[in-house]
Amino acid sequence: MSNFGTLSAKDRAAFLQTSSNLGLDPYEFGALVHQESGFNPNIVGGEGGNYYGLIQFGRPERTEAGLDPKKIGNYTIAEQMPHVEKWLRGRGFKTGMGIDQAYATILAGNPNA
């Protein structure tokens, strides 16, 4: 979590709250978020530049997560973390499943992939 120390207090608190809500070790969850986005909530990447945010939501996934299309590019970590949690839960991730299932959900769409 090399960028974690540079986060605002509000962003750190939101990240830690989401980690707790999901039952994930914050260091492991931080490594996952760092791998996906470097903790940049507005990063665009992936194939064709079609992925956005902390966990690189695809276009349909942004809708599932409830991200506001008008706000894309202007989210803070604190604002985006509830959407990360909502999306993971919507795809079947349950509290305490573990980091492997969280990453499977992000990469393949469900925790059992």
Side-chain angles (χ1 to χ4, degrees):
M1 290 194 308
S2 62
N3 294 350
F4 191 73
T6 63
L7 302 183
S8 72
K10 189 173 184 177
D11 286 343
R12 271 194 309 278
F15 171 80
L16 291 171
Q17 184 62 59
T18 299
S19 298
S20 177
N21 292 350
L22 294 171
L24 294 171
D25 176 281
Y27 290 98
E28 291 179 342
F29 188 46
L32 185 156
V33 172
H34 189 268
Q35 173 71 27
E36 289 297 301
S37 65
F39 274 93
N40 179 345
N42 296 300
I43 195 165
V44 174
E47 187 176 332
N50 290 317
Y51 298 89
Y52 170 78
L54 292 170
I55 61 169
Q56 293 292 276
F57 295 103
R59 292 187 193 280
E61 290 77 18
R62 291 177 213 167
T63 301
E64 286 176 36
L67 290 171
D68 181 349
K70 295 177 189 151
K71 192 166 170 83
I72 298 297
N74 294 301
Y75 273 95
T76 66
I77 291 169
E79 292 167 336
Q80 200 172 115
M81 288 311 301
H83 298 283
V84 169
E85 181 177 349
K86 177 184 178 179
W87 185 82
L88 285 167
R89 291 191 185 285
R91 288 300 185 103
F93 184 87
K94 296 192 182 344
T95 300
M97 280 186 152
I99 200 64
D100 291 340
Q101 287 83 11
Y103 207 38
T105 306
I106 291 167
L107 292 178
N110 73 77
N112 301 311

PDB file of all heavy atoms in Angstrom, residues 4 6-17 39 41 75-81:
ATOM      1  N   PHE A   4      -0.909   4.518   0.235  1.00  0.00           N
ATOM      2  CA  PHE A   4      -1.876   4.644   1.308  1.00  0.00           C
ATOM      3  C   PHE A   4      -1.556   5.818   2.225  1.00  0.00           C
ATOM      4  O   PHE A   4      -2.454   6.543   2.644  1.00  0.00           O
ATOM      5  CB  PHE A   4      -1.951   3.340   2.105  1.00  0.00           C
ATOM      6  CG  PHE A   4      -3.100   3.282   3.057  1.00  0.00           C
ATOM      7  CD1 PHE A   4      -4.390   3.119   2.597  1.00  0.00           C
ATOM      8  CD2 PHE A   4      -2.889   3.385   4.420  1.00  0.00           C
ATOM      9  CE1 PHE A   4      -5.463   3.065   3.478  1.00  0.00           C
ATOM     10  CE2 PHE A   4      -3.955   3.328   5.306  1.00  0.00           C
ATOM     11  CZ  PHE A   4      -5.237   3.166   4.833  1.00  0.00           C
ATOM     12  N   THR A   6      -0.360   8.606   1.578  1.00  0.00           N
ATOM     13  CA  THR A   6      -0.619   9.907   0.970  1.00  0.00           C
ATOM     14  C   THR A   6      -2.107  10.221   0.855  1.00  0.00           C
ATOM     15  O   THR A   6      -2.471  11.292   0.395  1.00  0.00           O
ATOM     16  CB  THR A   6       0.023  10.000  -0.433  1.00  0.00           C
ATOM     17  OG1 THR A   6      -0.587   9.029  -1.277  1.00  0.00           O
ATOM     18  CG2 THR A   6       1.517   9.770  -0.379  1.00  0.00           C
ATOM     19  N   LEU A   7      -2.955   9.308   1.288  1.00  0.00           N
ATOM     20  CA  LEU A   7      -4.404   9.529   1.205  1.00  0.00           C
ATOM     21  C   LEU A   7      -4.847  10.510   2.281  1.00  0.00           C
ATOM     22  O   LEU A   7      -4.268  10.577   3.360  1.00  0.00           O
ATOM     23  CB  LEU A   7      -5.159   8.215   1.397  1.00  0.00           C
ATOM     24  CG  LEU A   7      -4.856   7.078   0.433  1.00  0.00           C
ATOM     25  CD1 LEU A   7      -5.756   5.892   0.729  1.00  0.00           C
ATOM     26  CD2 LEU A   7      -4.974   7.502  -0.996  1.00  0.00           C
ATOM     27  N   SER A   8      -5.917  11.218   1.981  1.00  0.00           N
ATOM     28  CA  SER A   8      -6.495  12.103   2.985  1.00  0.00           C
ATOM     29  C   SER A   8      -7.068  11.256   4.121  1.00  0.00           C
ATOM     30  O   SER A   8      -7.344  10.058   3.960  1.00  0.00           O
ATOM     31  CB  SER A   8      -7.614  12.947   2.366  1.00  0.00           C
ATOM     32  OG  SER A   8      -8.752  12.133   2.109  1.00  0.00           O
ATOM     33  N   ALA A   9      -7.268  11.873   5.257  1.00  0.00           N
ATOM     34  CA  ALA A   9      -7.847  11.167   6.404  1.00  0.00           C
ATOM     35  C   ALA A   9      -9.221  10.602   6.047  1.00  0.00           C
ATOM     36  O   ALA A   9      -9.563   9.480   6.434  1.00  0.00           O
ATOM     37  CB  ALA A   9      -7.943  12.102   7.602  1.00  0.00           C
ATOM     38  N   LYS A  10     -10.002  11.351   5.303  1.00  0.00           N
ATOM     39  CA  LYS A  10     -11.343  10.903   4.893  1.00  0.00           C
ATOM     40  C   LYS A  10     -11.257   9.685   3.971  1.00  0.00           C
ATOM     41  O   LYS A  10     -12.018   8.722   4.114  1.00  0.00           O
ATOM     42  CB  LYS A  10     -12.079  12.053   4.209  1.00  0.00           C
ATOM     43  CG  LYS A  10     -13.525  11.780   3.927  1.00  0.00           C
ATOM     44  CD  LYS A  10     -14.224  13.028   3.398  1.00  0.00           C
ATOM     45  CE  LYS A  10     -15.691  12.770   3.205  1.00  0.00           C
ATOM     46  NZ  LYS A  10     -16.413  13.959   2.776  1.00  0.00           N
ATOM     47  N   ASP A  11     -10.318   9.716   3.017  1.00  0.00           N
ATOM     48  CA  ASP A  11     -10.141   8.584   2.105  1.00  0.00           C
ATOM     49  C   ASP A  11      -9.646   7.349   2.858  1.00  0.00           C
ATOM     50  O   ASP A  11     -10.127   6.237   2.623  1.00  0.00           O
ATOM     51  CB  ASP A  11      -9.182   8.945   0.971  1.00  0.00           C
ATOM     52  CG  ASP A  11      -9.793   9.868  -0.065  1.00  0.00           C
ATOM     53  OD1 ASP A  11     -11.039   9.996  -0.121  1.00  0.00           O
ATOM     54  OD2 ASP A  11      -9.028  10.474  -0.832  1.00  0.00           O
ATOM     55  N   ARG A  12      -8.679   7.527   3.765  1.00  0.00           N
ATOM     56  CA  ARG A  12      -8.182   6.400   4.567  1.00  0.00           C
ATOM     57  C   ARG A  12      -9.307   5.792   5.395  1.00  0.00           C
ATOM     58  O   ARG A  12      -9.445   4.572   5.448  1.00  0.00           O
ATOM     59  CB  ARG A  12      -7.045   6.849   5.502  1.00  0.00           C
ATOM     60  CG  ARG A  12      -5.681   6.754   4.886  1.00  0.00           C
ATOM     61  CD  ARG A  12      -4.558   6.882   5.911  1.00  0.00           C
ATOM     62  NE  ARG A  12      -4.660   8.045   6.781  1.00  0.00           N
ATOM     63  CZ  ARG A  12      -4.266   9.274   6.464  1.00  0.00           C
ATOM     64  NH1 ARG A  12      -3.728   9.498   5.285  1.00  0.00           N
ATOM     65  NH2 ARG A  12      -4.392  10.259   7.324  1.00  0.00           N
ATOM     66  N   ALA A  13     -10.098   6.650   6.038  1.00  0.00           N
ATOM     67  CA  ALA A  13     -11.194   6.155   6.867  1.00  0.00           C
ATOM     68  C   ALA A  13     -12.203   5.366   6.037  1.00  0.00           C
ATOM     69  O   ALA A  13     -12.676   4.306   6.467  1.00  0.00           O
ATOM     70  CB  ALA A  13     -11.880   7.314   7.586  1.00  0.00           C
ATOM     71  N   ALA A  14     -12.540   5.855   4.860  1.00  0.00           N
ATOM     72  CA  ALA A  14     -13.489   5.156   3.986  1.00  0.00           C
ATOM     73  C   ALA A  14     -12.927   3.816   3.527  1.00  0.00           C
ATOM     74  O   ALA A  14     -13.639   2.806   3.498  1.00  0.00           O
ATOM     75  CB  ALA A  14     -13.837   6.021   2.783  1.00  0.00           C
ATOM     76  N   PHE A  15     -11.653   3.801   3.180  1.00  0.00           N
ATOM     77  CA  PHE A  15     -11.020   2.554   2.765  1.00  0.00           C
ATOM     78  C   PHE A  15     -11.044   1.540   3.907  1.00  0.00           C
ATOM     79  O   PHE A  15     -11.403   0.372   3.711  1.00  0.00           O
ATOM     80  CB  PHE A  15      -9.578   2.804   2.298  1.00  0.00           C
ATOM     81  CG  PHE A  15      -8.833   1.536   2.067  1.00  0.00           C
ATOM     82  CD1 PHE A  15      -9.005   0.826   0.899  1.00  0.00           C
ATOM     83  CD2 PHE A  15      -8.004   1.012   3.048  1.00  0.00           C
ATOM     84  CE1 PHE A  15      -8.356  -0.385   0.705  1.00  0.00           C
ATOM     85  CE2 PHE A  15      -7.348  -0.191   2.865  1.00  0.00           C
ATOM     86  CZ  PHE A  15      -7.528  -0.888   1.684  1.00  0.00           C
ATOM     87  N   LEU A  16     -10.660   1.980   5.097  1.00  0.00           N
ATOM     88  CA  LEU A  16     -10.623   1.074   6.246  1.00  0.00           C
ATOM     89  C   LEU A  16     -12.028   0.597   6.610  1.00  0.00           C
ATOM     90  O   LEU A  16     -12.209  -0.564   6.985  1.00  0.00           O
ATOM     91  CB  LEU A  16      -9.932   1.740   7.430  1.00  0.00           C
ATOM     92  CG  LEU A  16      -8.434   1.969   7.236  1.00  0.00           C
ATOM     93  CD1 LEU A  16      -7.875   2.828   8.359  1.00  0.00           C
ATOM     94  CD2 LEU A  16      -7.680   0.650   7.122  1.00  0.00           C
ATOM     95  N   GLN A  17     -13.022   1.461   6.481  1.00  0.00           N
ATOM     96  CA  GLN A  17     -14.403   1.063   6.763  1.00  0.00           C
ATOM     97  C   GLN A  17     -14.876   0.008   5.776  1.00  0.00           C
ATOM     98  O   GLN A  17     -15.491  -0.990   6.163  1.00  0.00           O
ATOM     99  CB  GLN A  17     -15.345   2.269   6.725  1.00  0.00           C
ATOM    100  CG  GLN A  17     -16.770   1.933   7.109  1.00  0.00           C
ATOM    101  CD  GLN A  17     -16.863   1.414   8.533  1.00  0.00           C
ATOM    102  OE1 GLN A  17     -16.476   2.116   9.467  1.00  0.00           O
ATOM    103  NE2 GLN A  17     -17.361   0.204   8.729  1.00  0.00           N
ATOM    104  N   PHE A  39      -4.546   3.168  -6.199  1.00  0.00           N
ATOM    105  CA  PHE A  39      -5.365   4.014  -5.324  1.00  0.00           C
ATOM    106  C   PHE A  39      -5.805   5.302  -6.013  1.00  0.00           C
ATOM    107  O   PHE A  39      -6.125   6.281  -5.362  1.00  0.00           O
ATOM    108  CB  PHE A  39      -4.651   4.343  -4.003  1.00  0.00           C
ATOM    109  CG  PHE A  39      -4.835   3.300  -2.947  1.00  0.00           C
ATOM    110  CD1 PHE A  39      -3.912   2.285  -2.796  1.00  0.00           C
ATOM    111  CD2 PHE A  39      -5.930   3.335  -2.110  1.00  0.00           C
ATOM    112  CE1 PHE A  39      -4.069   1.316  -1.828  1.00  0.00           C
ATOM    113  CE2 PHE A  39      -6.105   2.369  -1.131  1.00  0.00           C
ATOM    114  CZ  PHE A  39      -5.171   1.354  -0.986  1.00  0.00           C
ATOM    115  N   PRO A  41      -8.750   6.864  -7.833  1.00  0.00           N
ATOM    116  CA  PRO A  41     -10.156   6.569  -8.105  1.00  0.00           C
ATOM    117  C   PRO A  41     -10.621   7.015  -9.488  1.00  0.00           C
ATOM    118  O   PRO A  41     -11.704   6.630  -9.924  1.00  0.00           O
ATOM    119  CB  PRO A  41     -10.901   7.347  -7.014  1.00  0.00           C
ATOM    120  CG  PRO A  41      -9.995   8.489  -6.708  1.00  0.00           C
ATOM    121  CD  PRO A  41      -8.592   7.938  -6.853  1.00  0.00           C
ATOM    122  N   TYR A  75     -14.310  11.471  -8.869  1.00  0.00           N
ATOM    123  CA  TYR A  75     -14.576  10.780  -7.611  1.00  0.00           C
ATOM    124  C   TYR A  75     -13.373  10.860  -6.681  1.00  0.00           C
ATOM    125  O   TYR A  75     -12.230  10.830  -7.134  1.00  0.00           O
ATOM    126  CB  TYR A  75     -14.878   9.300  -7.852  1.00  0.00           C
ATOM    127  CG  TYR A  75     -16.325   9.006  -8.131  1.00  0.00           C
ATOM    128  CD1 TYR A  75     -16.791   8.914  -9.430  1.00  0.00           C
ATOM    129  CD2 TYR A  75     -17.225   8.823  -7.093  1.00  0.00           C
ATOM    130  CE1 TYR A  75     -18.127   8.637  -9.695  1.00  0.00           C
ATOM    131  CE2 TYR A  75     -18.565   8.547  -7.350  1.00  0.00           C
ATOM    132  CZ  TYR A  75     -19.000   8.454  -8.648  1.00  0.00           C
ATOM    133  OH  TYR A  75     -20.326   8.182  -8.898  1.00  0.00           O
ATOM    134  N   THR A  76     -13.654  10.912  -5.384  1.00  0.00           N
ATOM    135  CA  THR A  76     -12.609  10.705  -4.389  1.00  0.00           C
ATOM    136  C   THR A  76     -12.645   9.233  -3.999  1.00  0.00           C
ATOM    137  O   THR A  76     -13.633   8.527  -4.295  1.00  0.00           O
ATOM    138  CB  THR A  76     -12.838  11.561  -3.130  1.00  0.00           C
ATOM    139  OG1 THR A  76     -14.030  11.103  -2.484  1.00  0.00           O
ATOM    140  CG2 THR A  76     -12.924  13.051  -3.464  1.00  0.00           C
ATOM    141  N   ILE A  77     -11.639   8.779  -3.318  1.00  0.00           N
ATOM    142  CA  ILE A  77     -11.646   7.405  -2.811  1.00  0.00           C
ATOM    143  C   ILE A  77     -12.830   7.217  -1.869  1.00  0.00           C
ATOM    144  O   ILE A  77     -13.562   6.226  -1.966  1.00  0.00           O
ATOM    145  CB  ILE A  77     -10.313   7.073  -2.129  1.00  0.00           C
ATOM    146  CG1 ILE A  77      -9.200   7.007  -3.181  1.00  0.00           C
ATOM    147  CG2 ILE A  77     -10.399   5.765  -1.345  1.00  0.00           C
ATOM    148  CD1 ILE A  77      -7.796   6.938  -2.618  1.00  0.00           C
ATOM    149  N   ALA A  78     -13.023   8.182  -0.968  1.00  0.00           N
ATOM    150  CA  ALA A  78     -14.124   8.085  -0.005  1.00  0.00           C
ATOM    151  C   ALA A  78     -15.475   7.982  -0.706  1.00  0.00           C
ATOM    152  O   ALA A  78     -16.354   7.237  -0.261  1.00  0.00           O
ATOM    153  CB  ALA A  78     -14.101   9.287   0.937  1.00  0.00           C
ATOM    154  N   GLU A  79     -15.645   8.693  -1.795  1.00  0.00           N
ATOM    155  CA  GLU A  79     -16.911   8.633  -2.532  1.00  0.00           C
ATOM    156  C   GLU A  79     -17.070   7.322  -3.299  1.00  0.00           C
ATOM    157  O   GLU A  79     -18.189   6.838  -3.473  1.00  0.00           O
ATOM    158  CB  GLU A  79     -16.996   9.799  -3.523  1.00  0.00           C
ATOM    159  CG  GLU A  79     -17.118  11.142  -2.856  1.00  0.00           C
ATOM    160  CD  GLU A  79     -16.892  12.299  -3.811  1.00  0.00           C
ATOM    161  OE1 GLU A  79     -16.222  12.127  -4.860  1.00  0.00           O
ATOM    162  OE2 GLU A  79     -17.385  13.403  -3.499  1.00  0.00           O
ATOM    163  N   GLN A  80     -15.967   6.747  -3.748  1.00  0.00           N
ATOM    164  CA  GLN A  80     -16.051   5.546  -4.581  1.00  0.00           C
ATOM    165  C   GLN A  80     -16.097   4.244  -3.784  1.00  0.00           C
ATOM    166  O   GLN A  80     -16.658   3.250  -4.256  1.00  0.00           O
ATOM    167  CB  GLN A  80     -14.879   5.507  -5.564  1.00  0.00           C
ATOM    168  CG  GLN A  80     -15.145   4.607  -6.744  1.00  0.00           C
ATOM    169  CD  GLN A  80     -14.101   4.708  -7.804  1.00  0.00           C
ATOM    170  OE1 GLN A  80     -13.403   3.736  -8.054  1.00  0.00           O
ATOM    171  NE2 GLN A  80     -13.960   5.864  -8.427  1.00  0.00           N
ATOM    172  N   MET A  81     -15.572   4.234  -2.556  1.00  0.00           N
ATOM    173  CA  MET A  81     -15.513   2.988  -1.792  1.00  0.00           C
ATOM    174  C   MET A  81     -16.882   2.349  -1.565  1.00  0.00           C
ATOM    175  O   MET A  81     -17.001   1.129  -1.703  1.00  0.00           O
ATOM    176  CB  MET A  81     -14.783   3.197  -0.452  1.00  0.00           C
ATOM    177  CG  MET A  81     -13.280   3.383  -0.570  1.00  0.00           C
ATOM    178  SD  MET A  81     -12.373   2.174  -1.582  1.00  0.00           S
ATOM    179  CE  MET A  81     -12.737   0.645  -0.774  1.00  0.00           C
TER     180      MET A  81
END
